[in-house]
């Protein structure tokens, strides 16, 4: 009876209120409401948030996936033909390598432009492509943005992947968020100069002839880009968030927010995949990354990768070269390889204000890893050397992917021991979801052993964590 009354109360609401409620649902859930009644059948067309994602409609593993793609394109055309409103808030198309559908895609883009769209997403990248521009051909891009696009001034957010457009013709005085992927940009700074209000910029899998960025950007994300000059000049005095994934390059921070840099993410994992390292020996890479850490030392949250942990001790006089950072939350993405141990200790010793330490184990393993170059988890972490943050500020320790391998045990025991972790209050351990049977029991045993190390610390073991 209560459910019937509740449904009646919802049905009594005017259409304008129901449309506002529907606008908070995802596009896919929004569609499901159309089967409730005749009244609901048309309400979903009035929400102003339209999202067409091929992955939600087409299964590429089936033999007739091409006919499914054709049906999906027809579905998009049929949907927009029923939209009665004159202004839409967001419009999204995700259709990988849409060869054969160029005319239909152009029509859909022009539809969104005619409805004065504010947030536009056009993603035509294929899931078969690698993460970088390398290996792509110009005929892999079949969609060209129509002329009407360059006159659209209502945009606040724009994401364009794997389509042709002319950056020299692009001008938008109100754009605040821009994401470009799978494109060659010769002089990105000339395009950005025409977007004075831009606050967030993402550059994904692009070929950048040169990179010289300036302006009021607060968030900069660069992932898997090819930069032949190996140099990036940044004049961004207001930047709050900086995230970089790719090869080691030289960053020239001409101006950076030294008062409050909220978050920095550094991932050079691609260097491990290179047949020949760009910087060899590691000393040169260590010098470059040490200077980068110094430039970004005002970051409140800092995330680093295994490669950085491996090479920063190789720089010239790492103890004196690295400056103290003001980081309060340090995230170490790590394999817990012995090559990383010295880098871990080096970073901990240069984080005097650290309050939370997170270890994200990228390849959790319930078995020990052999020593390397005379360095092992047992010999290194049993040494009676304590970092400043352990003695004074570190309160929370989080481990994601906990299996209780010996490498994990010795490191965590070092961090938790009363003579080291004076300020530590809580340890959060997250086991991988795939951990079963005796391996799971071993993890529980490790948590109990860790708890017995210090009575001042509360150790909590959680049942599951999914690797990113």
């Amino acid at each position: 009876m209560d459910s019937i009354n509740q449904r009646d109360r919802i049905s009594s609401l005017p259409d304008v209120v129901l449309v506002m409620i529907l606008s908070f649902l995802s596009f896919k859930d929004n569609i499901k409401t159309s089967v409730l009644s005749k009244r609901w059948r048309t309400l979903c067309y009035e929400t102003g948030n339209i999202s067409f994602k091929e992955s939600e409609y087409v299964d590429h593993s089936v033999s007739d996936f091409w006919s499914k793609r054709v049906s999906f394109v027809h579905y998009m055309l049929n949907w927009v033909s029923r939209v009665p409103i004159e202004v839409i808030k967001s419009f999204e198309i995700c259709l990988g390598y849409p060869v054969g559908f160029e005319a239909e895609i152009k029509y859909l883009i022009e539809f969104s432009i005619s409805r004065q769209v504010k947030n536009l997403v056009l993603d035509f990248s294929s899931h078969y492509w690698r993460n970088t521009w390398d290996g792509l051909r110009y005929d892999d891009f079949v969609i060209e943005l129509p002329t009407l696009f360059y006159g659209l001034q209502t945009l606040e957010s724009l994401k364009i992947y794997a389509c042709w457009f002319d950056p020299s013709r692009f001008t938008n005085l109100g754009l605040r968020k821009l994401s470009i992927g799978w494109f060659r940009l010769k002089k990105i700074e000339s395009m950005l100069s025409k977007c004075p209000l831009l606050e967030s910029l993402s550059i994904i899998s692009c070929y950048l002839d040169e990179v010289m960025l300036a302006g009021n950007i607060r968030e900069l994300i660069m992932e898997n880009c090819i930069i032949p000059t190996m140099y990036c000049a940044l004049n961004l005095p207001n930047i709050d968030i900086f995230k970089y994934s790719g090869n080691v390059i030289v960053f020239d921070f001409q101006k950076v927010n030294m008062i409050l840099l909220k978050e920095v993410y550094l991932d050079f994992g691609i260097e491990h995949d290179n047949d020949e390292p760009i910087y060899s020996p590691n000393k040169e890479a260590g010098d470059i990354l040490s200077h980068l850490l110094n430039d970004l030392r005002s970051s409140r949250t800092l995330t680093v990768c295994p490669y950085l942990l491996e090479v920063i001790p190789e720089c010239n006089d790492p103890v004196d070269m690295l400056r103290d950072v003001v980081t309060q939350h340090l995230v170490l993405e790590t394999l817990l390889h012995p090559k990383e141990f010295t880098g871990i200790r080096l970073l901990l010793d240069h984080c005097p204000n650290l309050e939370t330490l997170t270890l994200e184990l990228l390849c959790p393993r319930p078995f020990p890893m052999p020593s390397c170059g005379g360095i092992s988890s047992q010999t290194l972490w049993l040494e009676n050397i304590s970092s400043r943050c352990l003695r004074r500020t570190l309160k929370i320790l989080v481990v994601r992917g906990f299996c209780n391998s010996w490498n994990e045990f010795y490191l965590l025991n070092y961090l938790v021991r009363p003579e080291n972790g004076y300020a530590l209050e809580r340890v959060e351990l997250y086991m991988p979801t795939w951990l079963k049977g005796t391996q799971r029991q071993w993890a529980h045993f490790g948590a109990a052993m860790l708890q017995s190390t210090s009575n001042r610390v509360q150790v909590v073991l959680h049942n599951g964590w999914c690797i990113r």
Side-chain angles (χ1 to χ4, degrees):
M1 181 67 69
D2 290 341
S3 61
I4 296 176
N5 292 334
Q6 185 176 5
R7 189 169 58 206
D8 288 340
R9 283 197 295 269
I10 294 176
S11 300
S12 65
L13 296 173
D15 286 358
V16 64
V17 176
L18 292 178
V19 170
M20 290 179 61
I21 295 173
L22 291 177
S23 65
F24 290 99
L25 299 178
S26 69
F27 184 70
K28 195 171 183 179
D29 290 336
N30 201 339
I31 295 174
K32 295 177 182 178
T33 64
S34 62
V35 301
L36 295 177
S37 67
K38 287 184 178 181
R39 182 190 179 196
W40 288 83
R41 192 175 301 167
T42 58
L43 288 178
C44 57
Y45 296 105
E46 301 182 30
T47 60
N49 296 309
I50 303 173
S51 176
F52 300 118
K53 298 180 181 179
E54 180 186 17
S55 59
E56 296 180 352
Y57 296 88
V58 180
D59 184 357
H60 281 256
S61 64
V62 299
S63 57
D64 63 338
F65 82 91
W66 180 256
S67 63
K68 299 290 186 182
R69 293 194 92 195
V70 173
S71 299
F72 174 59
V73 172
H74 289 165
Y75 171 77
M76 290 191 290
L77 295 173
N78 181 59
W79 179 277
V80 300
S81 68
R82 299 183 179 187
V83 175
I85 55 179
E86 296 299 323
V87 177
I88 59 176
K89 183 177 180 180
S90 63
F91 187 80
E92 178 177 13
I93 305 176
C94 296
L95 182 64
Y97 190 50
V99 62
F101 303 113
E102 293 87 345
E104 291 84 352
I105 296 298
K106 180 182 178 182
Y107 174 82
L108 291 169
I109 296 175
E110 290 181 341
F111 160 81
S112 67
I113 295 172
S114 68
R115 301 305 167 96
Q116 304 176 57
V117 63
K118 292 184 178 180
N119 306 313
L120 180 61
V121 176
L122 303 173
D123 184 357
F124 307 114
S125 61
S126 172
H127 65 278
Y128 294 111
W129 295 350
R130 295 176 59 190
N131 288 332
T132 66
W133 173 279
D134 190 27
L136 294 181
R137 304 183 307 273
Y138 283 106
D139 56 3
D140 287 322
F141 310 106
V142 298
I143 301 298
E144 182 175 359
L145 294 184
T147 303
L148 290 175
F149 168 79
Y150 300 102
L152 182 62
Q153 293 298 315
T154 57
L155 280 178
E156 297 176 1
S157 174
L158 173 64
K159 175 180 176 180
I160 43 177
Y161 285 7
C163 60
W164 289 108
F165 76 103
D166 184 356
S168 65
R169 299 174 59 191
F170 182 77
T171 302
N172 193 294
L173 300 179
L175 191 66
R176 296 185 178 275
K177 186 174 183 178
L178 174 63
S179 180
I180 302 177
W182 309 100
F183 190 77
R184 179 168 184 172
L185 288 165
K186 294 184 177 180
K187 288 189 176 182
I188 187 173
E189 67 275 10
S190 62
M191 183 181 73
L192 298 182
S193 65
K194 303 174 184 178
C195 305
L197 298 183
L198 191 66
E199 295 180 347
S200 175
L201 174 64
S202 299
I203 310 172
I204 313 297
S205 300
C206 288
Y207 189 102
L208 305 173
D209 288 86
E210 60 180 60
V211 186
M212 299 179 66
L213 303 180
N216 297 316
I217 295 174
R218 294 186 174 275
E219 179 183 41
L220 175 61
I221 301 173
M222 300 176 67
E223 293 182 8
N224 302 320
C225 293
I226 295 179
I227 306 174
T229 61
M230 307 302 293
Y231 174 81
C232 180
L234 303 176
N235 185 0
L236 305 173
N238 298 320
I239 191 167
D240 291 328
I241 299 173
F242 175 70
K243 297 182 180 182
Y244 177 83
S245 302
N247 287 315
V248 174
I249 65 173
V250 175
F251 283 96
D252 181 8
F253 281 92
Q254 299 168 1
K255 286 186 179 180
V256 67
N257 188 351
M258 294 302 298
I259 299 176
L260 180 61
L261 190 58
K262 292 180 181 178
E263 181 181 359
V264 170
Y265 177 90
L266 302 173
D267 180 11
F268 305 98
I270 194 173
E271 293 287 353
H272 280 138
D273 300 329
N274 293 336
D275 295 331
E276 295 184 7
I278 294 177
Y279 296 100
S280 184
N282 285 340
K283 177 183 177 301
E284 190 175 359
D287 289 343
I288 292 173
L289 296 186
S290 295
H291 283 296
L292 178 60
L293 287 176
N294 289 339
D295 287 337
L296 300 172
R297 61 186 179 276
S298 64
S299 172
R300 296 295 189 249
T301 298
L302 173 63
T303 301
V304 299
C305 67
Y307 181 79
L308 184 143
L309 296 173
E310 182 180 330
V311 301
I312 57 172
E314 301 291 330
C315 70
N316 183 27
D317 199 357
V319 175
D320 290 335
M321 178 172 284
L322 274 179
R323 302 183 190 178
D324 284 350
V325 298
V326 300
T327 299
Q328 296 174 338
H329 183 193
L330 177 63
V331 181
L332 302 179
E333 295 184 347
T334 174
L335 300 169
L336 282 189
H337 192 283
K339 289 182 178 180
E340 304 167 20
F341 291 165
T342 304
I344 292 175
R345 259 180 49 173
L346 194 61
L347 271 185
L348 289 178
D349 201 41
H350 285 80
C351 295
N353 303 312
L354 191 64
E355 297 179 358
T356 301
L357 173 63
T358 298
L359 301 174
E360 291 203 358
L361 307 185
L362 300 183
C363 186
R365 57 192 78 199
F367 49 85
M369 186 178 290
S371 63
C372 179
I375 299 177
S376 70
S377 57
Q378 184 174 6
T379 57
L380 184 70
W381 301 118
L382 288 181
E383 294 179 9
N384 190 22
I385 301 175
S386 180
S387 301
R388 288 175 291 171
C389 66
L390 296 182
R391 295 194 299 265
R392 291 183 287 186
T393 61
L394 184 64
K395 296 180 180 180
I396 300 173
L397 173 61
V398 180
V399 183
R400 302 187 184 278
F402 176 74
C403 295
N404 192 35
S405 70
W406 287 114
N407 284 4
E408 297 170 43
F409 177 79
Y410 286 120
L411 171 58
L412 297 181
N413 190 66
Y414 165 79
L415 296 172
V416 172
R417 284 203 309 261
E419 61 268 28
N420 292 334
Y422 295 154
L424 194 62
E425 299 174 356
R426 187 176 180 88
V427 178
E428 301 271 357
L429 305 174
Y430 293 83
M431 295 182 294
T433 54
W434 49 261
L435 208 62
K436 306 294 181 183
T438 56
Q439 295 178 352
R440 193 179 187 87
Q441 294 174 5
W442 181 247
H444 278 270
F445 173 75
M449 290 293 293
L450 202 61
Q451 181 65 81
S452 66
T453 303
S454 175
N455 293 327
R456 296 201 308 263
V457 178
Q458 181 183 11
V459 179
V460 181
L461 183 64
H462 300 276
N463 287 326
W465 175 68
C466 295
I467 304 174
R468 288 188 303 173

